[in-house]
Amino acid sequence: MATNVEGKGFTEEQEALVVKSWNQMKNNSPQLSLTFFKKILEIAPPAKQLFSFLKDSDLPLDQNPKLMSHAMAVFVMTCESAVQLRKAGKVTVRESNLKKLGATHFKAGVVAEHFEVTKAALVETVKEAVPEMWSPAMKKAWEEAHDQLADAIKSEMKPSS
């Protein structure tokens, strides 16, 4: 078994699990993105206030065009980042995007605990999307991938200059 060095270890086995499940889910990204966001709001209803396009909207989530595009961008970026993690040895979101993500999350009032909510929502979404593949090892792989992306975003969470 591979050992993790300074939390940077995303093992070959974890990569294989993430890649296999993402390949299975990819074609259903729009629906899964919405599921992911619904789970975030189920786990933490006050999170609605963190999204400018949800705050004052009475539209059902699946009819909110801004939510749909945002959900797709977040879900697909998270999954694609997870798939690339081992190959690159780090999170592969362009640095400019990472700085923008960090500044946006900072401005919105996102705090470290909020990332635990997105991790739980992501894990539940993947579990429901690929039940026949699901295992404790796959759960751990997705959690590790999520945490590395979250850590990269948190490291950029400061006021934009």
Side-chain angles (χ1 to χ4, degrees):
M1 179 155 156
T3 54
N4 287 357
V5 185
E6 279 289 287
K8 292 291 179 225
F10 186 63
T11 68
E12 207 172 322
E13 294 82 2
Q14 288 176 318
E15 176 189 44
L17 290 168
V18 165
V19 169
K20 186 177 170 190
S21 53
W22 175 231
N23 286 339
Q24 186 81 24
M25 295 186 295
K26 209 183 283 189
N27 291 337
N28 199 16
S29 296
Q31 190 52 48
L32 292 174
S33 301
L34 187 59
T35 299
F36 172 61
F37 257 81
K38 283 180 175 175
K39 288 188 180 303
I40 289 172
L41 297 174
E42 279 167 24
I43 296 166
K48 186 176 181 183
Q49 297 308 309
L50 296 172
F51 301 99
S52 57
F53 51 85
L54 291 181
K55 260 193 246 190
D56 303 316
S57 173
D58 291 328
L59 281 175
L61 294 179
D62 54 0
Q63 290 174 22
N64 185 317
K66 286 187 178 166
L67 171 68
M68 287 303 294
S69 64
H70 183 79
M72 268 292 280
V74 172
F75 185 71
V76 171
M77 180 201 67
T78 301
C79 294
E80 290 290 348
S81 171
V83 167
Q84 294 294 322
L85 194 55
R86 191 164 176 280
K87 198 183 306 174
K90 63 181 172 80
V91 169
T92 55
V93 176
R94 283 207 324 265
E95 195 178 328
S96 58
N97 287 358
L98 207 52
K99 287 191 182 313
K100 188 176 165 203
L101 281 168
T104 303
H105 282 80
F106 179 85
K107 201 169 116 194
V110 172
V111 294
E113 293 76 24
H114 293 141
F115 288 97
E116 291 303 311
V117 171
T118 59
K119 178 164 59 176
L122 176 67
V123 165
E124 279 302 307
T125 301
V126 175
K127 181 181 180 180
E128 285 178 20
V130 291
E132 69 290 346
M133 286 184 201
W134 190 251
S135 67
M138 183 175 282
K139 178 179 191 264
K140 188 145 182 46
W142 277 102
E143 286 175 340
E144 177 66 25
H146 172 280
D147 287 349
Q148 291 203 27
L149 177 59
D151 287 348
I153 294 171
K154 285 189 266 191
S155 72
E156 295 294 340
M157 280 175 58
K158 46 194 173 245
S160 51
S161 40

